[in-house]
């Protein structure tokens, strides 16, 4: 069942989203050459406890994982793209790190992810991350009241295709609100003007993720970490977004981050990157 949220409930989700955005920005600064993934994990645990928030990941045990998950972050390095299990690994120059987190505050949840390059960037990795960010912004722009969920999915797929990447259909975005995973599923490719109507009050996590040269994945022995099947680099971007009468509202915006969404009062926000597909 899909639960539409009231304006007041969306505001409460935005409180959680602000914390998630701020902590992700902080963690991206913590991540550096020579830093252990477990140091980043423990930094996040401390901040979550200080805020009085609750991790949605801790003790999470879905059918696709080898649960329960006993961490507050997913930390995925290089060819790992989703559900990376934090472990004893020291970041090296040029590593591509994806950080994903979801927490609840006073019963309302927000979920977001970003990918960064630690140390010296490889242009191919920069382009891959850019593709996920541009796809995310295009999807947010498409998440307008009266539209269809397929518009959001198609926007992601079109950007991926324009960049020359293929989309895996096994994992995508999802509804969110009182819990981390709610209906509907938000695919990362689709057909415009198809699917669920986007009504005000719908809250979704939109999360394009891409592998450099494949759309196939494999699992680590830990039962959680998902990697590109061919060992190529990967990237992941995600925001929690509310559909409002005046347009999409990004609830997990990070400090200083531009977006293709509208603010709560309906004014157009600044855009930090192109929202449409870019040629190969």
């Amino acid at each position: 069942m899909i639960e539409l949220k009231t304006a007041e409930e969306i505001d409460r989700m935005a409180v959680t989203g602000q914390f998630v955005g701020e902590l992700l920005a902080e963690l991206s600064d913590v991540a550096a050459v020579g830093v252990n993934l477990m140091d980043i994990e423990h930094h996040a645990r401390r901040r979550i406890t200080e805020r009085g928030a609750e991790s949605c990941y801790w003790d999470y045990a879905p059918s696709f994982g080898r649960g329960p998950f006993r961490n507050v972050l997913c930390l995925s390095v290089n060819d790992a793209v989703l559900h990376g299990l934090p472990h004893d690994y020291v970041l090296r120059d040029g590593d591509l790190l994806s950080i994903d987190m979801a927490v609840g505050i006073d019963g309302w949840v927000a979920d977001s992810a970003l990918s960064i390059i630690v140390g010296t960037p490889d242009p191919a990795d920069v382009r891959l991350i850019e593709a996920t960010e541009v796809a995310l912004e295009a999807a947010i722009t498409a998440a307008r009241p009266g539209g269809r969920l397929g518009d959001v999915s198609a926007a992601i797929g079109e950007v991926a295709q324009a960049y020359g990447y293929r989309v895996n259909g096994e994992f995508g975005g999802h509804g969110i609100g009182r819990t981390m995973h709610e209906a509907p599923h938000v695919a990362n490719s689709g057909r415009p003007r198809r699917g669920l109507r986007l009504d005000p009050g719908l809250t979704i996590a939109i999360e394009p993720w891409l592998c450099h040269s494949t759309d196939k994945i494999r699992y680590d022995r830990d039962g959680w970490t998902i990697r590109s099947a061919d060992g190529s680099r990967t990237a992941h971007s995600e925001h929690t977004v509310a559909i409002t009468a005046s347009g999409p509202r990004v609830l997990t915006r990070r400090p200083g981050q531009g977006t293709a969404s509208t603010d709560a009062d309906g004014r157009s926000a600044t855009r930090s990157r192109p929202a449409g597909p870019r040629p190969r």
Side-chain angles (χ1 to χ4, degrees):
M1 183 179 75
I2 295 173
E3 177 189 11
L4 299 180
K5 282 72 174 179
T6 66
E8 179 183 0
E9 289 169 339
I10 290 172
D11 284 343
R12 293 177 67 183
M13 288 182 65
V15 172
T16 309
Q18 180 180 354
F19 171 71
V20 169
E22 290 174 349
L23 182 51
L24 271 179
E26 184 176 326
L27 294 174
S28 68
D29 288 336
V30 171
V33 175
V35 172
N36 195 298
L37 292 183
M38 293 308 301
D39 292 336
I40 302 173
E41 164 70 18
H42 286 288
H43 186 101
R45 291 185 195 181
R46 183 171 65 255
R47 287 286 189 257
I48 290 170
T49 299
E50 290 170 353
R51 181 57 179 83
E54 294 184 3
S55 170
C56 297
Y57 293 171
W58 196 271
D59 278 344
Y60 184 52
S63 59
F64 58 79
R66 186 179 298 167
F69 197 85
R70 288 297 177 87
N71 294 278
V72 302
L73 298 175
C74 290
L75 298 173
S76 305
V77 180
N78 295 334
D79 63 327
V81 64
L82 296 173
H83 310 154
L85 193 67
H87 60 286
D88 183 16
Y89 175 83
V90 176
L91 289 168
R92 304 169 183 170
D93 186 47
D95 276 346
L96 198 166
L97 173 66
S98 297
I99 308 173
D100 191 358
M101 65 173 292
V103 304
I105 297 176
D106 297 329
W108 293 98
V109 173
D111 188 2
S112 188
L114 58 75
S115 291
I116 60 171
I117 299 168
V118 177
T120 309
D122 184 306
D125 292 342
V126 173
R127 187 173 186 275
L128 181 64
I129 293 173
E130 179 187 83
T132 66
E133 293 175 342
V134 172
L136 177 56
E137 292 185 2
I140 292 168
T141 299
R144 307 202 64 84
R148 298 285 178 174
L149 192 60
D151 300 338
V152 176
S153 299
I156 295 171
E158 288 169 6
V159 170
Q161 182 179 18
Y163 273 82
Y165 303 122
R166 291 177 288 176
V167 174
N168 175 283
E170 295 174 65
F171 292 92
H174 49 87
I176 188 170
R178 298 178 190 273
T179 62
M180 178 171 59
H181 287 151
E182 299 179 354
H185 173 69
V186 184
N188 284 335
S189 64
R191 299 174 64 183
R193 299 179 296 281
R194 298 295 180 94
L196 178 74
R197 179 183 171 90
L198 300 177
D199 290 325
L202 179 68
T203 49
I204 54 177
I206 304 173
E207 51 179 313
W209 60 274
L210 297 167
C211 305
H212 184 267
S213 55
T214 184
D215 58 357
K216 307 298 183 184
I217 57 174
R218 63 180 178 84
Y219 287 81
D220 272 7
R221 291 182 178 180
D222 63 29
W224 284 102
T225 305
I226 296 176
R227 300 183 182 274
S228 62
D230 63 357
S232 62
R233 293 286 179 106
T234 64
H236 178 202
S237 295
E238 178 183 15
H239 272 312
T240 295
V241 179
I243 312 300
T244 75
S246 57
R249 178 183 177 188
V250 178
L251 306 182
T252 48
R253 184 181 300 134
R254 296 183 287 280
Q257 182 187 41
T259 178
S261 73
T262 56
D263 291 321
D265 61 3
R267 293 177 300 175
S268 178
T270 58
R271 184 174 295 153
S272 62
R273 296 180 179 86
R278 295 180 58 179
R280 302 182 189 185

